[in-house]
Amino acid sequence: MRAKKWMILLFYLLLLFEFIYMGYSKLMNNNNSWVFWGVLSIAAVYQIISFLIKKKDESWNSGYVIADHRIIRQILVSLALSFVFILVFLVIGTVGLYTGFIVGNPINVMVAAIIFSVLVFMVSQIVQQFIN
């Protein structure tokens, strides 16, 4: 997949503004998680600056490869594994909530399903690196 330099820069800026907004809103709500969003904002600023330094000699409309078909195939396989895992986790959570085995808020089950599916995605990415 090829992308233009200005498209990637806009994506980085979008992430930066989102992190700043989340950090500011958490700060105004007296929530301590604003520190996390502040660290992510600093990381986004570093990413933007390093991107601009690396690509300063190229034109804004120059394109370059950010992913090839092999990487996209690996990511799709990992996403499929994560999707199956999240479906299984949510089915087990739904049955557990319905039968009374899991007591609590159903949102906790959904959040746990999302977190575990991200973990499965990361592990499957690592395993695929060793297989291929």
Side-chain angles (χ1 to χ4, degrees), residues 5-42:
K5 180 180 172 183
W6 61 270
M7 292 182 344
I8 295 173
L9 184 62
L10 283 178
F11 175 72
Y12 287 154
L13 288 173
L14 178 71
L15 282 179
L16 173 66
F17 291 137
E18 186 232 340
F19 293 155
I20 290 173
Y21 173 75
M22 290 298 294
Y24 180 74
S25 65
K26 296 295 182 182
L27 180 66
M28 290 297 116
N29 291 334
N30 295 326
N31 194 339
N32 288 337
S33 66
W34 67 269
V35 175
F36 172 73
W37 293 106
V39 169
L40 284 178
S41 300
I42 292 170

PDB file of all heavy atoms in Angstrom, residues 5-42:
ATOM      1  N   LYS A   5       2.940  11.584   1.573  1.00  0.00           N
ATOM      2  CA  LYS A   5       3.530  12.138   2.790  1.00  0.00           C
ATOM      3  C   LYS A   5       2.531  13.012   3.544  1.00  0.00           C
ATOM      4  O   LYS A   5       2.440  12.938   4.768  1.00  0.00           O
ATOM      5  CB  LYS A   5       4.767  12.948   2.402  1.00  0.00           C
ATOM      6  CG  LYS A   5       5.481  13.575   3.547  1.00  0.00           C
ATOM      7  CD  LYS A   5       6.687  14.345   3.052  1.00  0.00           C
ATOM      8  CE  LYS A   5       7.323  15.135   4.148  1.00  0.00           C
ATOM      9  NZ  LYS A   5       8.439  15.931   3.673  1.00  0.00           N
ATOM     10  N   TRP A   6       1.749  13.795   2.845  1.00  0.00           N
ATOM     11  CA  TRP A   6       0.812  14.692   3.519  1.00  0.00           C
ATOM     12  C   TRP A   6      -0.327  13.918   4.185  1.00  0.00           C
ATOM     13  O   TRP A   6      -0.859  14.347   5.212  1.00  0.00           O
ATOM     14  CB  TRP A   6       0.272  15.739   2.555  1.00  0.00           C
ATOM     15  CG  TRP A   6      -0.491  15.184   1.378  1.00  0.00           C
ATOM     16  CD1 TRP A   6       0.011  14.837   0.175  1.00  0.00           C
ATOM     17  CD2 TRP A   6      -1.884  14.897   1.327  1.00  0.00           C
ATOM     18  NE1 TRP A   6      -0.980  14.353  -0.638  1.00  0.00           N
ATOM     19  CE2 TRP A   6      -2.162  14.388   0.042  1.00  0.00           C
ATOM     20  CE3 TRP A   6      -2.926  15.026   2.224  1.00  0.00           C
ATOM     21  CZ2 TRP A   6      -3.427  14.000  -0.346  1.00  0.00           C
ATOM     22  CZ3 TRP A   6      -4.196  14.653   1.835  1.00  0.00           C
ATOM     23  CH2 TRP A   6      -4.432  14.150   0.565  1.00  0.00           C
ATOM     24  N   MET A   7      -0.703  12.749   3.634  1.00  0.00           N
ATOM     25  CA  MET A   7      -1.767  11.954   4.256  1.00  0.00           C
ATOM     26  C   MET A   7      -1.301  11.382   5.592  1.00  0.00           C
ATOM     27  O   MET A   7      -2.048  11.384   6.580  1.00  0.00           O
ATOM     28  CB  MET A   7      -2.202  10.831   3.319  1.00  0.00           C
ATOM     29  CG  MET A   7      -2.901  11.326   2.089  1.00  0.00           C
ATOM     30  SD  MET A   7      -3.539  10.095   0.908  1.00  0.00           S
ATOM     31  CE  MET A   7      -2.778   8.592   1.277  1.00  0.00           C
ATOM     32  N   ILE A   8      -0.072  10.918   5.637  1.00  0.00           N
ATOM     33  CA  ILE A   8       0.456  10.368   6.884  1.00  0.00           C
ATOM     34  C   ILE A   8       0.630  11.476   7.913  1.00  0.00           C
ATOM     35  O   ILE A   8       0.318  11.295   9.090  1.00  0.00           O
ATOM     36  CB  ILE A   8       1.779   9.633   6.617  1.00  0.00           C
ATOM     37  CG1 ILE A   8       1.501   8.423   5.724  1.00  0.00           C
ATOM     38  CG2 ILE A   8       2.450   9.208   7.901  1.00  0.00           C
ATOM     39  CD1 ILE A   8       2.708   7.706   5.258  1.00  0.00           C
ATOM     40  N   LEU A   9       1.070  12.646   7.480  1.00  0.00           N
ATOM     41  CA  LEU A   9       1.205  13.766   8.402  1.00  0.00           C
ATOM     42  C   LEU A   9      -0.151  14.186   8.961  1.00  0.00           C
ATOM     43  O   LEU A   9      -0.278  14.467  10.161  1.00  0.00           O
ATOM     44  CB  LEU A   9       1.891  14.942   7.708  1.00  0.00           C
ATOM     45  CG  LEU A   9       2.180  16.145   8.592  1.00  0.00           C
ATOM     46  CD1 LEU A   9       3.144  15.751   9.704  1.00  0.00           C
ATOM     47  CD2 LEU A   9       2.738  17.280   7.770  1.00  0.00           C
ATOM     48  N   LEU A  10      -1.189  14.200   8.141  1.00  0.00           N
ATOM     49  CA  LEU A  10      -2.532  14.523   8.634  1.00  0.00           C
ATOM     50  C   LEU A  10      -3.023  13.482   9.639  1.00  0.00           C
ATOM     51  O   LEU A  10      -3.664  13.831  10.641  1.00  0.00           O
ATOM     52  CB  LEU A  10      -3.513  14.634   7.470  1.00  0.00           C
ATOM     53  CG  LEU A  10      -3.445  15.905   6.647  1.00  0.00           C
ATOM     54  CD1 LEU A  10      -4.442  15.848   5.492  1.00  0.00           C
ATOM     55  CD2 LEU A  10      -3.712  17.115   7.501  1.00  0.00           C
ATOM     56  N   PHE A  11      -2.718  12.218   9.393  1.00  0.00           N
ATOM     57  CA  PHE A  11      -3.090  11.171  10.339  1.00  0.00           C
ATOM     58  C   PHE A  11      -2.394  11.376  11.682  1.00  0.00           C
ATOM     59  O   PHE A  11      -3.018  11.275  12.743  1.00  0.00           O
ATOM     60  CB  PHE A  11      -2.753   9.798   9.754  1.00  0.00           C
ATOM     61  CG  PHE A  11      -2.999   8.670  10.705  1.00  0.00           C
ATOM     62  CD1 PHE A  11      -4.291   8.275  11.015  1.00  0.00           C
ATOM     63  CD2 PHE A  11      -1.936   8.012  11.297  1.00  0.00           C
ATOM     64  CE1 PHE A  11      -4.523   7.242  11.895  1.00  0.00           C
ATOM     65  CE2 PHE A  11      -2.157   6.970  12.174  1.00  0.00           C
ATOM     66  CZ  PHE A  11      -3.453   6.585  12.479  1.00  0.00           C
ATOM     67  N   TYR A  12      -1.093  11.682  11.648  1.00  0.00           N
ATOM     68  CA  TYR A  12      -0.367  11.943  12.888  1.00  0.00           C
ATOM     69  C   TYR A  12      -0.924  13.157  13.618  1.00  0.00           C
ATOM     70  O   TYR A  12      -1.051  13.153  14.852  1.00  0.00           O
ATOM     71  CB  TYR A  12       1.120  12.158  12.608  1.00  0.00           C
ATOM     72  CG  TYR A  12       1.886  10.908  12.251  1.00  0.00           C
ATOM     73  CD1 TYR A  12       3.038  10.975  11.488  1.00  0.00           C
ATOM     74  CD2 TYR A  12       1.477   9.654  12.679  1.00  0.00           C
ATOM     75  CE1 TYR A  12       3.754   9.847  11.152  1.00  0.00           C
ATOM     76  CE2 TYR A  12       2.183   8.514  12.352  1.00  0.00           C
ATOM     77  CZ  TYR A  12       3.319   8.617  11.586  1.00  0.00           C
ATOM     78  OH  TYR A  12       4.018   7.496  11.262  1.00  0.00           O
ATOM     79  N   LEU A  13      -1.266  14.206  12.884  1.00  0.00           N
ATOM     80  CA  LEU A  13      -1.840  15.393  13.514  1.00  0.00           C
ATOM     81  C   LEU A  13      -3.205  15.103  14.123  1.00  0.00           C
ATOM     82  O   LEU A  13      -3.538  15.609  15.204  1.00  0.00           O
ATOM     83  CB  LEU A  13      -1.943  16.533  12.497  1.00  0.00           C
ATOM     84  CG  LEU A  13      -0.620  17.175  12.098  1.00  0.00           C
ATOM     85  CD1 LEU A  13      -0.841  18.169  10.966  1.00  0.00           C
ATOM     86  CD2 LEU A  13       0.026  17.844  13.287  1.00  0.00           C
ATOM     87  N   LEU A  14      -3.998  14.287  13.452  1.00  0.00           N
ATOM     88  CA  LEU A  14      -5.294  13.891  13.994  1.00  0.00           C
ATOM     89  C   LEU A  14      -5.132  13.148  15.316  1.00  0.00           C
ATOM     90  O   LEU A  14      -5.842  13.421  16.290  1.00  0.00           O
ATOM     91  CB  LEU A  14      -6.045  13.028  12.978  1.00  0.00           C
ATOM     92  CG  LEU A  14      -7.400  12.500  13.409  1.00  0.00           C
ATOM     93  CD1 LEU A  14      -8.405  13.630  13.462  1.00  0.00           C
ATOM     94  CD2 LEU A  14      -7.865  11.411  12.485  1.00  0.00           C
ATOM     95  N   LEU A  15      -4.188  12.221  15.355  1.00  0.00           N
ATOM     96  CA  LEU A  15      -3.919  11.512  16.607  1.00  0.00           C
ATOM     97  C   LEU A  15      -3.451  12.470  17.703  1.00  0.00           C
ATOM     98  O   LEU A  15      -3.876  12.364  18.856  1.00  0.00           O
ATOM     99  CB  LEU A  15      -2.858  10.437  16.384  1.00  0.00           C
ATOM    100  CG  LEU A  15      -3.311   9.155  15.715  1.00  0.00           C
ATOM    101  CD1 LEU A  15      -2.130   8.214  15.545  1.00  0.00           C
ATOM    102  CD2 LEU A  15      -4.399   8.478  16.515  1.00  0.00           C
ATOM    103  N   LEU A  16      -2.586  13.416  17.344  1.00  0.00           N
ATOM    104  CA  LEU A  16      -2.100  14.376  18.324  1.00  0.00           C
ATOM    105  C   LEU A  16      -3.248  15.197  18.907  1.00  0.00           C
ATOM    106  O   LEU A  16      -3.356  15.348  20.132  1.00  0.00           O
ATOM    107  CB  LEU A  16      -1.054  15.296  17.691  1.00  0.00           C
ATOM    108  CG  LEU A  16      -0.583  16.459  18.569  1.00  0.00           C
ATOM    109  CD1 LEU A  16       0.176  15.933  19.773  1.00  0.00           C
ATOM    110  CD2 LEU A  16       0.257  17.428  17.764  1.00  0.00           C
ATOM    111  N   PHE A  17      -4.110  15.729  18.048  1.00  0.00           N
ATOM    112  CA  PHE A  17      -5.226  16.532  18.540  1.00  0.00           C
ATOM    113  C   PHE A  17      -6.186  15.710  19.389  1.00  0.00           C
ATOM    114  O   PHE A  17      -6.733  16.192  20.381  1.00  0.00           O
ATOM    115  CB  PHE A  17      -5.968  17.203  17.382  1.00  0.00           C
ATOM    116  CG  PHE A  17      -5.156  18.274  16.709  1.00  0.00           C
ATOM    117  CD1 PHE A  17      -5.137  18.373  15.340  1.00  0.00           C
ATOM    118  CD2 PHE A  17      -4.394  19.158  17.444  1.00  0.00           C
ATOM    119  CE1 PHE A  17      -4.388  19.347  14.711  1.00  0.00           C
ATOM    120  CE2 PHE A  17      -3.635  20.144  16.835  1.00  0.00           C
ATOM    121  CZ  PHE A  17      -3.629  20.238  15.458  1.00  0.00           C
ATOM    122  N   GLU A  18      -6.377  14.452  19.018  1.00  0.00           N
ATOM    123  CA  GLU A  18      -7.249  13.594  19.816  1.00  0.00           C
ATOM    124  C   GLU A  18      -6.644  13.341  21.195  1.00  0.00           C
ATOM    125  O   GLU A  18      -7.337  13.415  22.205  1.00  0.00           O
ATOM    126  CB  GLU A  18      -7.474  12.275  19.094  1.00  0.00           C
ATOM    127  CG  GLU A  18      -8.484  11.389  19.778  1.00  0.00           C
ATOM    128  CD  GLU A  18      -7.968  10.005  20.023  1.00  0.00           C
ATOM    129  OE1 GLU A  18      -7.016   9.589  19.368  1.00  0.00           O
ATOM    130  OE2 GLU A  18      -8.529   9.340  20.901  1.00  0.00           O
ATOM    131  N   PHE A  19      -5.348  13.070  21.256  1.00  0.00           N
ATOM    132  CA  PHE A  19      -4.694  12.842  22.543  1.00  0.00           C
ATOM    133  C   PHE A  19      -4.728  14.095  23.409  1.00  0.00           C
ATOM    134  O   PHE A  19      -4.949  14.018  24.623  1.00  0.00           O
ATOM    135  CB  PHE A  19      -3.247  12.382  22.342  1.00  0.00           C
ATOM    136  CG  PHE A  19      -3.109  11.034  21.706  1.00  0.00           C
ATOM    137  CD1 PHE A  19      -1.961  10.698  21.013  1.00  0.00           C
ATOM    138  CD2 PHE A  19      -4.119  10.087  21.790  1.00  0.00           C
ATOM    139  CE1 PHE A  19      -1.806   9.455  20.430  1.00  0.00           C
ATOM    140  CE2 PHE A  19      -3.989   8.838  21.201  1.00  0.00           C
ATOM    141  CZ  PHE A  19      -2.832   8.532  20.523  1.00  0.00           C
ATOM    142  N   ILE A  20      -4.496  15.257  22.804  1.00  0.00           N
ATOM    143  CA  ILE A  20      -4.548  16.512  23.563  1.00  0.00           C
ATOM    144  C   ILE A  20      -5.953  16.758  24.091  1.00  0.00           C
ATOM    145  O   ILE A  20      -6.140  17.135  25.252  1.00  0.00           O
ATOM    146  CB  ILE A  20      -4.062  17.689  22.687  1.00  0.00           C
ATOM    147  CG1 ILE A  20      -2.562  17.561  22.445  1.00  0.00           C
ATOM    148  CG2 ILE A  20      -4.398  19.027  23.331  1.00  0.00           C
ATOM    149  CD1 ILE A  20      -2.012  18.555  21.458  1.00  0.00           C
ATOM    150  N   TYR A  21      -6.957  16.541  23.262  1.00  0.00           N
ATOM    151  CA  TYR A  21      -8.341  16.743  23.705  1.00  0.00           C
ATOM    152  C   TYR A  21      -8.703  15.806  24.854  1.00  0.00           C
ATOM    153  O   TYR A  21      -9.319  16.224  25.835  1.00  0.00           O
ATOM    154  CB  TYR A  21      -9.304  16.528  22.532  1.00  0.00           C
ATOM    155  CG  TYR A  21     -10.752  16.544  22.956  1.00  0.00           C
ATOM    156  CD1 TYR A  21     -11.376  17.738  23.274  1.00  0.00           C
ATOM    157  CD2 TYR A  21     -11.477  15.370  23.063  1.00  0.00           C
ATOM    158  CE1 TYR A  21     -12.695  17.762  23.685  1.00  0.00           C
ATOM    159  CE2 TYR A  21     -12.799  15.377  23.468  1.00  0.00           C
ATOM    160  CZ  TYR A  21     -13.404  16.576  23.777  1.00  0.00           C
ATOM    161  OH  TYR A  21     -14.700  16.596  24.197  1.00  0.00           O
ATOM    162  N   MET A  22      -8.331  14.535  24.730  1.00  0.00           N
ATOM    163  CA  MET A  22      -8.639  13.578  25.792  1.00  0.00           C
ATOM    164  C   MET A  22      -7.912  13.945  27.085  1.00  0.00           C
ATOM    165  O   MET A  22      -8.485  13.874  28.168  1.00  0.00           O
ATOM    166  CB  MET A  22      -8.265  12.160  25.361  1.00  0.00           C
ATOM    167  CG  MET A  22      -9.159  11.594  24.288  1.00  0.00           C
ATOM    168  SD  MET A  22     -10.869  11.443  24.792  1.00  0.00           S
ATOM    169  CE  MET A  22     -10.745  10.212  26.052  1.00  0.00           C
ATOM    170  N   GLY A  23      -6.655  14.351  26.988  1.00  0.00           N
ATOM    171  CA  GLY A  23      -5.910  14.750  28.178  1.00  0.00           C
ATOM    172  C   GLY A  23      -6.511  15.970  28.843  1.00  0.00           C
ATOM    173  O   GLY A  23      -6.646  16.034  30.071  1.00  0.00           O
ATOM    174  N   TYR A  24      -6.907  16.952  28.035  1.00  0.00           N
ATOM    175  CA  TYR A  24      -7.511  18.166  28.590  1.00  0.00           C
ATOM    176  C   TYR A  24      -8.863  17.865  29.240  1.00  0.00           C
ATOM    177  O   TYR A  24      -9.158  18.367  30.325  1.00  0.00           O
ATOM    178  CB  TYR A  24      -7.672  19.218  27.486  1.00  0.00           C
ATOM    179  CG  TYR A  24      -8.275  20.497  27.976  1.00  0.00           C
ATOM    180  CD1 TYR A  24      -7.527  21.374  28.746  1.00  0.00           C
ATOM    181  CD2 TYR A  24      -9.601  20.827  27.670  1.00  0.00           C
ATOM    182  CE1 TYR A  24      -8.083  22.553  29.204  1.00  0.00           C
ATOM    183  CE2 TYR A  24     -10.155  21.998  28.126  1.00  0.00           C
ATOM    184  CZ  TYR A  24      -9.398  22.861  28.892  1.00  0.00           C
ATOM    185  OH  TYR A  24      -9.957  24.026  29.352  1.00  0.00           O
ATOM    186  N   SER A  25      -9.670  17.031  28.592  1.00  0.00           N
ATOM    187  CA  SER A  25     -10.977  16.715  29.172  1.00  0.00           C
ATOM    188  C   SER A  25     -10.835  15.916  30.463  1.00  0.00           C
ATOM    189  O   SER A  25     -11.598  16.112  31.410  1.00  0.00           O
ATOM    190  CB  SER A  25     -11.859  15.972  28.173  1.00  0.00           C
ATOM    191  OG  SER A  25     -11.306  14.707  27.880  1.00  0.00           O
ATOM    192  N   LYS A  26      -9.850  15.021  30.529  1.00  0.00           N
ATOM    193  CA  LYS A  26      -9.612  14.274  31.768  1.00  0.00           C
ATOM    194  C   LYS A  26      -9.087  15.189  32.863  1.00  0.00           C
ATOM    195  O   LYS A  26      -9.419  15.018  34.034  1.00  0.00           O
ATOM    196  CB  LYS A  26      -8.623  13.124  31.535  1.00  0.00           C
ATOM    197  CG  LYS A  26      -9.124  12.073  30.588  1.00  0.00           C
ATOM    198  CD  LYS A  26     -10.316  11.345  31.147  1.00  0.00           C
ATOM    199  CE  LYS A  26     -10.748  10.276  30.172  1.00  0.00           C
ATOM    200  NZ  LYS A  26     -11.919   9.552  30.589  1.00  0.00           N
ATOM    201  N   LEU A  27      -8.268  16.176  32.501  1.00  0.00           N
ATOM    202  CA  LEU A  27      -7.753  17.124  33.476  1.00  0.00           C
ATOM    203  C   LEU A  27      -8.885  17.976  34.056  1.00  0.00           C
ATOM    204  O   LEU A  27      -8.944  18.220  35.266  1.00  0.00           O
ATOM    205  CB  LEU A  27      -6.692  18.024  32.837  1.00  0.00           C
ATOM    206  CG  LEU A  27      -6.061  19.083  33.736  1.00  0.00           C
ATOM    207  CD1 LEU A  27      -5.252  18.408  34.835  1.00  0.00           C
ATOM    208  CD2 LEU A  27      -5.183  20.007  32.918  1.00  0.00           C
ATOM    209  N   MET A  28      -9.814  18.417  33.213  1.00  0.00           N
ATOM    210  CA  MET A  28     -10.932  19.237  33.683  1.00  0.00           C
ATOM    211  C   MET A  28     -11.915  18.432  34.535  1.00  0.00           C
ATOM    212  O   MET A  28     -12.613  18.998  35.377  1.00  0.00           O
ATOM    213  CB  MET A  28     -11.674  19.860  32.497  1.00  0.00           C
ATOM    214  CG  MET A  28     -10.881  20.924  31.782  1.00  0.00           C
ATOM    215  SD  MET A  28     -10.539  22.323  32.839  1.00  0.00           S
ATOM    216  CE  MET A  28      -8.762  22.251  32.952  1.00  0.00           C
ATOM    217  N   ASN A  29     -11.972  17.122  34.338  1.00  0.00           N
ATOM    218  CA  ASN A  29     -12.854  16.267  35.141  1.00  0.00           C
ATOM    219  C   ASN A  29     -12.179  15.749  36.400  1.00  0.00           C
ATOM    220  O   ASN A  29     -12.729  14.895  37.087  1.00  0.00           O
ATOM    221  CB  ASN A  29     -13.342  15.073  34.314  1.00  0.00           C
ATOM    222  CG  ASN A  29     -14.293  15.501  33.231  1.00  0.00           C
ATOM    223  OD1 ASN A  29     -14.958  16.525  33.336  1.00  0.00           O
ATOM    224  ND2 ASN A  29     -14.356  14.718  32.172  1.00  0.00           N
ATOM    225  N   ASN A  30     -10.987  16.275  36.699  1.00  0.00           N
ATOM    226  CA  ASN A  30     -10.209  15.863  37.871  1.00  0.00           C
ATOM    227  C   ASN A  30      -9.952  14.354  37.884  1.00  0.00           C
ATOM    228  O   ASN A  30     -10.026  13.710  38.919  1.00  0.00           O
ATOM    229  CB  ASN A  30     -10.885  16.300  39.167  1.00  0.00           C
ATOM    230  CG  ASN A  30     -10.935  17.800  39.292  1.00  0.00           C
ATOM    231  OD1 ASN A  30     -10.022  18.488  38.839  1.00  0.00           O
ATOM    232  ND2 ASN A  30     -11.993  18.318  39.878  1.00  0.00           N
ATOM    233  N   ASN A  31      -9.680  13.818  36.723  1.00  0.00           N
ATOM    234  CA  ASN A  31      -9.365  12.409  36.585  1.00  0.00           C
ATOM    235  C   ASN A  31      -7.855  12.281  36.430  1.00  0.00           C
ATOM    236  O   ASN A  31      -7.226  13.066  35.732  1.00  0.00           O
ATOM    237  CB  ASN A  31     -10.085  11.842  35.358  1.00  0.00           C
ATOM    238  CG  ASN A  31     -10.080  10.338  35.330  1.00  0.00           C
ATOM    239  OD1 ASN A  31      -9.257   9.705  35.962  1.00  0.00           O
ATOM    240  ND2 ASN A  31     -11.003   9.784  34.582  1.00  0.00           N
ATOM    241  N   ASN A  32      -7.261  11.289  37.063  1.00  0.00           N
ATOM    242  CA  ASN A  32      -5.802  11.146  37.027  1.00  0.00           C
ATOM    243  C   ASN A  32      -5.284  10.547  35.736  1.00  0.00           C
ATOM    244  O   ASN A  32      -4.076  10.471  35.538  1.00  0.00           O
ATOM    245  CB  ASN A  32      -5.329  10.296  38.205  1.00  0.00           C
ATOM    246  CG  ASN A  32      -5.439  11.046  39.505  1.00  0.00           C
ATOM    247  OD1 ASN A  32      -5.457  12.272  39.522  1.00  0.00           O
ATOM    248  ND2 ASN A  32      -5.525  10.312  40.594  1.00  0.00           N
ATOM    249  N   SER A  33      -6.153  10.102  34.844  1.00  0.00           N
ATOM    250  CA  SER A  33      -5.677   9.494  33.602  1.00  0.00           C
ATOM    251  C   SER A  33      -5.206  10.532  32.597  1.00  0.00           C
ATOM    252  O   SER A  33      -4.763  10.162  31.505  1.00  0.00           O
ATOM    253  CB  SER A  33      -6.773   8.624  32.984  1.00  0.00           C
ATOM    254  OG  SER A  33      -7.858   9.407  32.581  1.00  0.00           O
ATOM    255  N   TRP A  34      -5.254  11.818  32.942  1.00  0.00           N
ATOM    256  CA  TRP A  34      -4.749  12.840  32.026  1.00  0.00           C
ATOM    257  C   TRP A  34      -3.254  12.683  31.811  1.00  0.00           C
ATOM    258  O   TRP A  34      -2.737  13.077  30.767  1.00  0.00           O
ATOM    259  CB  TRP A  34      -5.079  14.241  32.526  1.00  0.00           C
ATOM    260  CG  TRP A  34      -4.362  14.630  33.784  1.00  0.00           C
ATOM    261  CD1 TRP A  34      -4.789  14.450  35.064  1.00  0.00           C
ATOM    262  CD2 TRP A  34      -3.081  15.264  33.874  1.00  0.00           C
ATOM    263  NE1 TRP A  34      -3.857  14.919  35.939  1.00  0.00           N
ATOM    264  CE2 TRP A  34      -2.802  15.430  35.247  1.00  0.00           C
ATOM    265  CE3 TRP A  34      -2.152  15.696  32.942  1.00  0.00           C
ATOM    266  CZ2 TRP A  34      -1.625  16.012  35.694  1.00  0.00           C
ATOM    267  CZ3 TRP A  34      -0.985  16.278  33.387  1.00  0.00           C
ATOM    268  CH2 TRP A  34      -0.731  16.437  34.759  1.00  0.00           C
ATOM    269  N   VAL A  35      -2.549  12.101  32.780  1.00  0.00           N
ATOM    270  CA  VAL A  35      -1.109  11.895  32.639  1.00  0.00           C
ATOM    271  C   VAL A  35      -0.834  10.931  31.480  1.00  0.00           C
ATOM    272  O   VAL A  35       0.071  11.154  30.669  1.00  0.00           O
ATOM    273  CB  VAL A  35      -0.514  11.359  33.958  1.00  0.00           C
ATOM    274  CG1 VAL A  35       0.959  11.034  33.797  1.00  0.00           C
ATOM    275  CG2 VAL A  35      -0.734  12.346  35.081  1.00  0.00           C
ATOM    276  N   PHE A  36      -1.623   9.868  31.383  1.00  0.00           N
ATOM    277  CA  PHE A  36      -1.476   8.898  30.296  1.00  0.00           C
ATOM    278  C   PHE A  36      -1.670   9.575  28.950  1.00  0.00           C
ATOM    279  O   PHE A  36      -0.877   9.375  28.013  1.00  0.00           O
ATOM    280  CB  PHE A  36      -2.480   7.762  30.496  1.00  0.00           C
ATOM    281  CG  PHE A  36      -2.550   6.807  29.353  1.00  0.00           C
ATOM    282  CD1 PHE A  36      -1.530   5.906  29.119  1.00  0.00           C
ATOM    283  CD2 PHE A  36      -3.647   6.802  28.493  1.00  0.00           C
ATOM    284  CE1 PHE A  36      -1.585   5.023  28.060  1.00  0.00           C
ATOM    285  CE2 PHE A  36      -3.718   5.930  27.437  1.00  0.00           C
ATOM    286  CZ  PHE A  36      -2.678   5.039  27.220  1.00  0.00           C
ATOM    287  N   TRP A  37      -2.716  10.386  28.833  1.00  0.00           N
ATOM    288  CA  TRP A  37      -2.977  11.063  27.568  1.00  0.00           C
ATOM    289  C   TRP A  37      -1.906  12.109  27.271  1.00  0.00           C
ATOM    290  O   TRP A  37      -1.571  12.362  26.106  1.00  0.00           O
ATOM    291  CB  TRP A  37      -4.366  11.686  27.582  1.00  0.00           C
ATOM    292  CG  TRP A  37      -5.428  10.645  27.611  1.00  0.00           C
ATOM    293  CD1 TRP A  37      -6.201  10.298  28.665  1.00  0.00           C
ATOM    294  CD2 TRP A  37      -5.800   9.770  26.546  1.00  0.00           C
ATOM    295  NE1 TRP A  37      -7.039   9.272  28.321  1.00  0.00           N
ATOM    296  CE2 TRP A  37      -6.819   8.930  27.028  1.00  0.00           C
ATOM    297  CE3 TRP A  37      -5.379   9.614  25.226  1.00  0.00           C
ATOM    298  CZ2 TRP A  37      -7.414   7.959  26.243  1.00  0.00           C
ATOM    299  CZ3 TRP A  37      -5.975   8.649  24.441  1.00  0.00           C
ATOM    300  CH2 TRP A  37      -6.975   7.839  24.958  1.00  0.00           C
ATOM    301  N   GLY A  38      -1.351  12.718  28.320  1.00  0.00           N
ATOM    302  CA  GLY A  38      -0.249  13.655  28.125  1.00  0.00           C
ATOM    303  C   GLY A  38       0.989  12.971  27.582  1.00  0.00           C
ATOM    304  O   GLY A  38       1.679  13.494  26.695  1.00  0.00           O
ATOM    305  N   VAL A  39       1.290  11.782  28.103  1.00  0.00           N
ATOM    306  CA  VAL A  39       2.433  11.022  27.607  1.00  0.00           C
ATOM    307  C   VAL A  39       2.209  10.612  26.151  1.00  0.00           C
ATOM    308  O   VAL A  39       3.134  10.681  25.322  1.00  0.00           O
ATOM    309  CB  VAL A  39       2.687   9.790  28.514  1.00  0.00           C
ATOM    310  CG1 VAL A  39       3.691   8.850  27.885  1.00  0.00           C
ATOM    311  CG2 VAL A  39       3.151  10.229  29.891  1.00  0.00           C
ATOM    312  N   LEU A  40       0.979  10.202  25.824  1.00  0.00           N
ATOM    313  CA  LEU A  40       0.684   9.863  24.432  1.00  0.00           C
ATOM    314  C   LEU A  40       0.806  11.082  23.524  1.00  0.00           C
ATOM    315  O   LEU A  40       1.258  10.972  22.375  1.00  0.00           O
ATOM    316  CB  LEU A  40      -0.723   9.268  24.318  1.00  0.00           C
ATOM    317  CG  LEU A  40      -0.878   7.827  24.788  1.00  0.00           C
ATOM    318  CD1 LEU A  40      -2.325   7.384  24.657  1.00  0.00           C
ATOM    319  CD2 LEU A  40       0.021   6.899  24.019  1.00  0.00           C
ATOM    320  N   SER A  41       0.438  12.267  24.011  1.00  0.00           N
ATOM    321  CA  SER A  41       0.584  13.494  23.225  1.00  0.00           C
ATOM    322  C   SER A  41       2.052  13.797  22.955  1.00  0.00           C
ATOM    323  O   SER A  41       2.423  14.176  21.843  1.00  0.00           O
ATOM    324  CB  SER A  41      -0.068  14.675  23.956  1.00  0.00           C
ATOM    325  OG  SER A  41      -1.425  14.458  24.158  1.00  0.00           O
ATOM    326  N   ILE A  42       2.874  13.616  23.979  1.00  0.00           N
ATOM    327  CA  ILE A  42       4.308  13.856  23.799  1.00  0.00           C
ATOM    328  C   ILE A  42       4.885  12.860  22.797  1.00  0.00           C
ATOM    329  O   ILE A  42       5.705  13.222  21.941  1.00  0.00           O
ATOM    330  CB  ILE A  42       5.031  13.783  25.158  1.00  0.00           C
ATOM    331  CG1 ILE A  42       4.601  14.974  26.022  1.00  0.00           C
ATOM    332  CG2 ILE A  42       6.536  13.760  24.984  1.00  0.00           C
ATOM    333  CD1 ILE A  42       5.058  14.887  27.456  1.00  0.00           C
TER     334      ILE A  42
END
